[in-house]
Amino acid sequence: MDINLNSTKNWGPFEIKDFVAKLATKSAQENSLSYLNAGRGNPNWVATAPRDAFFLFGQFAVTESKRVLDLPPGVGGMPKAKGIAGRLEDWLKKHNDMPGAEFLQAMVPWAVKKFSFDADKFVHELADSIIGDHYPVPDRMLVHNEQIVHEYLLWAMCGDPRPKGTYKIYAVEGGTAAMCYTFKSLKSNRILNPGDTIALGVPIFTPYLEMAHLEDYDLHFIQIQREAGAKIPVPGRGDQEAP
């Protein structure tokens, strides 16, 4: 696929992403290769190892539920923490030929050692959450999982040297929900009021572009393009020039 690189200087990140995706698709077809697209919110491929472990662990959690209470026509109890790590270890030995068993046998001891977890409390949190028998109280991210996610974020986003202190992590349903909560919090605390003007870096995903138009917020906005001085079509307001 031939392209004049000079014509790409005004491209936004999504235009570049689309071009690279087309290039990869064409190359895969010409060489009879599988095209793995990790540039989407949901890739066109699946990581099977953690899913094997997830579904196998769910079977263990059900046995823990039945261990506490097992009434017809299929009523179980809430998993108990005491001794659950040992019961998982024994259960995995009996099912070590199942997909996901090896992953779990490595993951649990590694996490316990890495984060100095109490093994029973960690495994109980996993079992209790995968069963879905109640929401955490108070509403918050699960205690052990929060520490794991925090470590991952530092590794993936901060590098070395790491910043001092810790991040406060609030897990939501997805990126759209995060933006909705952020805007609602800003409005509730009178930081953002109807008629205020905000700046949007574009191109950008929905719902950022739509939020300002909603009656609940009624915001004015300017779009900041990648190239300064570019003419930007703003719905209902004509062309505006980016600062």
Side-chain angles (χ1 to χ4, degrees), residues 8 12 53 66 143 155 184 197:
T8 67
K66 290 180 177 180
V143 175
W155 170 81
K184 186 173 180 63
T197 299

Side-chain angles (χ1 to χ4, degrees), residues 122-134:
F122 175 53
V123 175
H124 178 256
E125 180 180 283
L126 297 177
D128 198 42
S129 59
I130 204 169
I131 284 292
D133 54 358
H134 63 80

Side-chain angles (χ1 to χ4, degrees), residues 154-170:
L154 289 179
W155 170 81
M157 302 185 68
C158 298
D160 291 319
R162 293 190 172 192
K164 296 180 180 179
T166 57
Y167 289 105
K168 292 182 178 179
I169 302 173
Y170 180 61

Side-chain angles (χ1 to χ4, degrees), residues 179-199:
M179 287 308 304
C180 291
Y181 295 146
T182 298
F183 270 82
K184 186 173 180 63
S185 178
L186 291 171
K187 180 182 178 181
S188 298
N189 288 282
R190 308 295 191 272
I191 297 173
L192 201 59
N193 300 295
D196 286 351
T197 299
I198 62 174

